[in-house]
Amino acid sequence: MRITRRSLLVSMPAAGLVAAVGGSVALPAAADAPAGTADVEPLLANATTLLAGTAEINRLPAVAAKVETITANARARLDLLDAASGDQVFADLELGDDEAALARAFTYVAEIALATATPTSPLFEVREVQDRALATLDRLQSEYYHDVESGYYGNWFQWEIGIPTQVTRTLVLTRAVADPELVQRCVGAMDAFLLNGENGDVDLDSRFHTGANLADITGNRVLQGALTADDARITKALADQSTVFATVDPYRLQHGVTDGYYADGSFIQHHSVAYTGSYGRALLTRVVQTLDVLRGTAWADDGTLVGTVLTWVQAGFAPLVAQGWMMEAVKGRAVSRTATGYTDIAAVAEAVVDLTEHASDVDWLRPYAKHLLVASATEPARMVSPLSVALATAILDDDALVGADAVAETSHHHFAAMERSVHRRPGWTFALSRSSERISKYEYMSAENLRSWFQGEGAHQLYLTGQDHASAHGLDGLVLQPAHGLPGVIAPDEERQTVPELYGQAWYDNPDHPLEFTSSSESQNTYVYFPTGTHPHSGGAAMEALGSAAMVLSDDVAHRDSQRGLLPEDLRTWASARAVRSWFFLDDGVVLLAAGVTDPQDRDVLVTLDRRRSGAATVIGEREDGRAWSGAGEARLRWLLQRDGDHSIGYRLLESSTVRVSLDQVSASRRSLRTSNPDTLVEGEVFSLTARHGAGDRRGSFAWSIHPGADEASLSSRPAVRVLENSTSVQAVTDRRTDLLAINTFTQGWHRVRNVAVEGAASVLLRTTRHGLDVAVADPTTQRSQVRLRLPRRYRVENGERCREGRHGHGSELTVDVHQLYGRSAVINLRRR
């Protein structure tokens, strides 16, 4: 049976609640709290219940372990208070010049306060412990969080978000006994430290107050307004927060902000970083918490926000989760952290579990919640809220509920705004990362993701169903791969130095330069932390479960501006290789093309067809001359099959070229990707399939395909895919199984492929149907207003409001409106005349 969050928020006898969990008793809904300027206690009570649970729910066996953890954490922090000596506040922290240590100190106080507010904890409402928590908060605020002039150092995030979150939480949890003067003083300090704001409040024009960061700041300010009975503060904070929930229109930016969710499900943070898997999930968590805190108050959601969040989950999150694993393509610098993609899903699963109580009539939501919990092996007891623990346990224990993914097993997802593609088929999922002048090539920051330079240069990940993704992907898979040899990457064959290796610290420092390079300056972001490329071409077309992608490799903005003499001479930059690239996503695999592979500095270029951590892999194949192949080495091959346990991946070489097959034993430290990681040695076998373009080589084109689940028979048979052209102006393939013609064009003018002509740079898919033709057209540059196609026969437009058909000779000329689609596809259904 179902247990609901709404029912948990009402006061009822313990016996009644236990009966509801164990039987089919319907629990009453909470009555709406009366509206009014003084109606802040229900809001604070909701926040407390969210964090600490209720007596009834905390007695449930599934939640008892959570309460024990809360209590144990508080006791451990009290022990650190007792063991402190000299000027220490807590025994294990040295405060004064490390903002992260100060944030931990405030977190310790909040953990003590949480136990005192948690019913059924032995520390619940123990006045001595409450007083200790408040006295420690008072000391930390008075000595370390009061003087902005001397106290604001290091990472701005801790001063404006990290510390205020813990201070606000502590005050909410201890409000019954807290001195009002302390509350006012703490709120005043948090306003004063909002240096990136304006007059102690949010500044929507600040580059720091966007996306997930803005949601965090405003979420804290809502609770601060409740603590001080300042309904104007609450209303203003919620109004500011609402800007985060609006879909970003790149043609009509609000406050110049590009951070947030887009119409195609993309999520961007830090202005140009694909970030669903880190900041995006933080925002999802914060929004659902806001819904919970406001329920039954004068500020409660009218249902609009719930609908928005449901869209985020289904269109923005679900496609990016492979069997309970958050994909690396949307994690930014977080890919270098020790937490796995399964761990990442815990926060998403908790938010989805909580959403089931706000949208009980959405039929796919509870099955998806169960799917996430099971696929990621998320333990309910590790969730933040005791209420979530109870709800998740009830979902898992509901034998009548069958878990199901929120997206189809056979589907294609083109996230045009953040330049990511996800192709799903039974047994496998393929994720592709691209970049352009709009989207960053990578993200490095805070000594995280040290060797990230090529992660957006056409790198891909292949997730095989039934495989432990932590064994092939994540930090341990990434650390075993060379930075310039990630799967799918084309890059100069050279080693680069990391930021700490170059400058002896986690950022480039040059405050005297006109661009004022400091740790969190805009120049640092642009040129060091997350530089974009310099070419506009990165996009693709999508039509039902098929798709394409294309990009033009370019230098990043740092190297371009360095060559122009705009940057300091000691700021090290690198030139990129050049290539025109395409991917075609088909039913049984992915076709990859590259043309014009060169290097502006005459370096050898490494073309990594694929690379992945394996177990005890075996490799067989066939040479171009028909002779059998096995194991490692170098040759001209027709096809190759790699088997690893129960999984297999096939490769076809669609253009003649010499490739190298490697099965290497590799070891590297986790610290090589993030300085704060433990110095743990990772060892394993790595399979790689590579080619090389030498500085003097005349031919610079490569074509290959990847077929998960293939076998020897399928690879040795006649390919269904044929490469029609692979040049720097046109790349095109045809697939006879799906009657698909897929074309990417890169230059101005008309391009002819078979009997179809495409004008200008575009991505086009054409599929023959029984009565006509289905067409998908996209502008991969986002700069065009229309794309024209010429077809060999006459058609009429059956569906497609963006298409106008006219006559051209004996055929049709289609004029497709791509204005302000921002890379999304216009799909047209044509019928033969």
Side-chain angles (χ1 to χ4, degrees):
M1 74 100 5
R2 294 186 57 187
I3 180 171
T4 67
R5 175 176 292 274
R6 180 174 299 181
S7 67
L8 298 177
L9 289 171
V10 302
S11 176
M12 67 177 298
L17 182 61
V18 174
V21 174
S24 58
V25 178
L27 300 181
D32 288 342
T37 57
D39 185 30
V40 295
E41 182 52 34
L43 190 153
L44 294 168
N46 285 348
T48 303
T49 301
L50 178 71
L51 295 168
T54 67
E56 293 80 8
I57 201 63
N58 291 357
R59 291 192 183 99
L60 293 173
V63 186
K66 177 69 178 178
V67 175
E68 290 177 1
T69 299
I70 290 172
T71 304
N73 286 341
R75 292 191 188 281
R77 305 319 178 201
L78 289 167
D79 289 343
L80 291 174
L81 273 178
D82 291 336
S85 60
D87 293 334
Q88 288 182 326
V89 179
F90 291 96
D92 66 342
L93 294 176
E94 297 299 327
L95 305 179
D97 58 4
D98 182 352
E99 80 284 2
L102 182 59
R104 282 198 299 276
F106 280 107
T107 300
Y108 290 174
V109 175
E111 288 175 334
I112 296 170
L114 176 59
T116 70
T118 300
T120 73
S121 168
L123 300 179
F124 179 59
E125 293 185 347
V126 175
R127 183 59 185 266
E128 179 185 354
V129 179
Q130 291 174 319
D131 288 345
R132 251 193 123 177
L134 289 168
T136 307
L137 174 64
D138 190 352
R139 179 182 174 189
L140 287 171
Q141 188 277 317
S142 299
E143 297 181 13
Y144 299 98
Y145 195 67
H146 72 288
D147 183 358
V148 175
E149 292 296 324
S150 63
Y152 197 106
Y153 48 84
N155 193 328
W156 74 274
F157 177 91
Q158 300 294 3
W159 302 100
E160 300 194 24
I161 297 177
I163 292 171
T165 297
Q166 302 306 326
V167 173
T168 303
R169 183 171 295 181
T170 299
L171 294 174
V172 169
L173 295 169
T174 60
R175 66 188 182 281
V177 295
D179 184 347
E181 189 275 333
L182 174 61
V183 174
Q184 291 288 352
R185 185 153 37 88
C186 286
V187 171
M190 289 185 282
D191 287 350
F193 277 94
L194 204 64
L195 292 188
N196 290 297
E198 185 176 11
N199 299 322
D201 200 351
V202 163
D203 179 5
L204 294 178
D205 292 315
S206 169
R207 65 187 175 90
F208 296 90
H209 293 184
T210 64
N213 289 334
L214 178 58
D216 284 337
I217 293 169
T218 52
N220 289 336
R221 292 182 71 81
V222 166
L223 294 176
Q224 293 157 15
L227 285 165
T228 56
D230 184 350
D231 64 317
R233 185 187 184 102
I234 298 172
T235 301
K236 169 67 162 54
L238 290 172
D240 291 337
Q241 191 175 90
S242 69
T243 65
V244 180
F245 311 143
T247 300
V248 177
D249 181 349
Y251 302 99
R252 299 171 186 82
L253 294 176
Q254 302 300 309
H255 305 280
V257 173
T258 56
D259 289 357
Y261 283 94
Y262 288 68
D264 61 12
S266 297
F267 177 82
I268 291 174
Q269 185 79 23
H270 288 166
H271 321 300
S272 57
V273 179
Y275 236 145
T276 313
S278 184
Y279 277 93
R281 64 186 173 89
L283 176 57
L284 177 66
T285 295
R286 173 60 85 173
V287 172
V288 176
Q289 288 174 347
T290 296
L291 289 169
D292 290 337
V293 168
L294 299 181
R295 185 196 287 266
T297 73
W299 298 273
D301 177 52
D302 63 1
T304 302
L305 181 53
V306 170
T308 298
V309 178
L310 287 170
T311 300
W312 292 356
V313 170
Q314 190 170 37
F317 278 91
L320 296 166
V321 180
Q323 302 91 48
W325 178 273
M326 179 60 72
M327 297 180 186
E328 283 76 12
V330 290
K331 290 179 61 174
R333 70 184 188 272
V335 297
S336 64
R337 297 172 186 170
T338 55
T340 73
Y342 296 122
T343 306
D344 294 329
I345 296 304
V348 178
E350 182 165 4
V352 173
V353 164
D354 291 354
L355 272 175
T356 63
E357 299 311 308
H358 293 277
S360 57
D361 58 339
V362 177
D363 57 4
W364 59 266
L365 193 56
R366 291 189 79 243
Y368 185 53
K370 188 165 191 176
H371 167 77
L372 283 180
L373 291 167
V374 173
S376 64
T378 295
E379 299 177 17
R382 298 179 67 86
M383 292 182 169
V384 173
S385 173
L387 278 64
S388 301
V389 175
L391 290 167
T393 302
I395 286 173
L396 288 172
D397 290 346
D398 186 350
D399 294 335
L401 178 64
V402 178
D405 206 339
V407 292
E409 195 174 29
T410 297
S411 57
H412 182 78
H413 307 270
H414 185 67
F415 296 97
M418 64 180 180
E419 298 177 18
R420 298 296 187 265
S421 299
V422 175
H423 194 59
R424 301 167 72 105
R425 287 296 185 271
W428 56 278
T429 300
F430 186 98
L432 171 67
S433 301
R434 293 169 284 108
S435 56
S436 70
E437 65 181 17
R438 300 175 298 276
I439 293 297
S440 297
K441 286 176 174 279
Y442 59 87
E443 189 197 45
Y444 159 84
M445 193 187 294
S446 303
E448 294 186 297
N449 212 15
L450 294 166
R451 304 180 183 277
S452 53
W453 308 288
F454 303 99
Q455 289 170 1
E457 292 280 80
H460 67 249
Q461 288 85 34
L462 176 59
Y463 302 97
L464 303 177
T465 304
Q467 185 177 54
D468 176 10
H469 297 317
S471 67
H473 303 286
L475 170 63
D476 287 356
L478 187 62
V479 76
L480 296 178
Q481 302 178 22
H484 67 294
L486 299 179
V489 165
I490 297 175
D493 191 7
E494 67 177 5
E495 294 292 330
R496 294 186 179 185
Q497 291 175 288
T498 67
V499 169
E501 288 170 342
L502 286 167
Y503 311 117
Q505 59 185 6
W507 64 90
Y508 171 73
D509 196 53
N510 193 341
D512 297 328
H513 188 271
L515 292 176
E516 298 179 352
F517 284 88
T518 58
S519 62
S520 59
S521 67
E522 194 163 358
S523 298
Q524 195 83 216
N525 292 346
T526 301
Y527 295 115
V528 181
Y529 288 163
F530 33 88
T532 62
T534 52
H535 203 284
H537 197 118
S538 176
M543 182 167 57
E544 295 181 352
L546 302 173
S548 67
M551 74 176 296
V552 176
L553 297 187
S554 64
D555 289 334
D556 64 18
V557 292
H559 190 72
R560 179 199 65 190
D561 288 358
S562 176
Q563 296 303 104
R564 294 174 176 177
L566 302 177
L567 303 184
E569 292 184 0
D570 65 336
L571 178 60
R572 182 69 166 92
T573 65
W574 286 270
S576 297
R578 301 292 189 266
V580 168
R581 306 204 55 188
S582 286
W583 295 258
F584 300 103
F585 303 95
L586 308 175
D587 273 343
D588 75 331
V590 181
V591 178
L592 301 88
L593 304 182
V597 177
T598 56
D599 182 72
Q601 297 181 355
D602 291 330
R603 298 163 294 185
D604 286 354
V605 176
L606 180 67
V607 181
T608 304
L609 285 65
D610 201 12
R611 191 187 305 267
R612 61 189 291 113
R613 188 181 185 186
S614 57
T618 60
V619 177
I620 61 171
E622 182 182 330
R623 299 172 186 260
E624 285 185 355
D625 60 12
R627 289 182 295 153
W629 170 272
S630 65
E634 191 172 89
R636 291 182 177 271
L637 300 177
R638 181 173 289 121
W639 59 265
L640 192 75
L641 179 65
Q642 183 230 13
R643 290 195 181 98
D644 187 8
D646 296 331
H647 298 92
S648 64
I649 306 173
Y651 305 89
R652 279 200 176 97
L653 286 304
L654 303 175
E655 284 187 8
S656 178
S657 58
T658 299
V659 296
R660 174 172 291 278
V661 183
S662 301
L663 291 167
D664 300 320
Q665 292 296 322
V666 182
S667 63
S669 171
R670 289 176 173 172
R671 191 170 291 172
S672 65
L673 295 188
R674 181 172 178 253
T675 57
S676 60
N677 281 347
D679 191 15
T680 302
L681 192 66
V682 180
E683 300 178 291
E685 180 184 82
V686 175
F687 162 81
S688 60
L689 180 63
T690 60
R692 186 175 297 276
H693 177 77
D697 293 348
R698 298 182 61 185
R699 182 175 181 179
S701 65
F702 300 86
W704 69 102
S705 57
I706 302 176
H707 304 273
D711 56 25
E712 187 173 351
S714 64
L715 292 171
S716 58
S717 63
R718 177 181 169 225
V721 173
R722 180 183 173 192
V723 178
L724 301 179
E725 186 168 347
N726 183 19
S727 70
T728 56
S729 58
V730 180
Q731 293 178 328
V733 302
T734 183
D735 180 13
R736 57 182 167 82
R737 280 169 310 188
T738 54
D739 290 319
L740 179 74
L741 172 62
I743 305 169
N744 287 328
T745 54
F746 297 88
T747 53
Q748 295 181 351
W750 284 94
H751 310 86
R752 180 168 293 277
V753 178
R754 284 194 168 176
N755 52 9
V756 175
V758 180
E759 181 247 348
S763 291
V764 179
L765 302 176
L766 305 102
R767 184 174 58 187
T768 304
T769 66
R770 182 177 178 182
H771 300 293
L773 192 68
D774 291 341
V775 183
V777 179
D779 167 24
T781 71
T782 73
Q783 297 175 352
R784 305 189 63 185
S785 59
Q786 64 181 33
V787 173
R788 290 187 293 167
L789 308 179
R790 289 174 180 167
L791 307 175
R793 62 176 302 163
R794 292 300 307 278
Y795 293 92
R796 64 179 175 84
V797 178
E798 184 175 48
N799 291 298
E801 60 183 22
R802 283 182 169 266
C803 180
R804 185 177 71 253
E805 190 268 347
R807 187 161 190 162
H808 178 78
H810 296 292
S812 288
E813 179 169 295
L814 305 182
T815 302
V816 182
D817 176 16
V818 294
H819 180 59
Q820 295 191 353
L821 282 179
Y822 209 62
R824 301 193 307 279
S825 296
V827 179
I828 305 113
N829 305 121
L830 304 174
R831 289 185 71 90
R832 289 188 288 271
R833 287 186 184 271

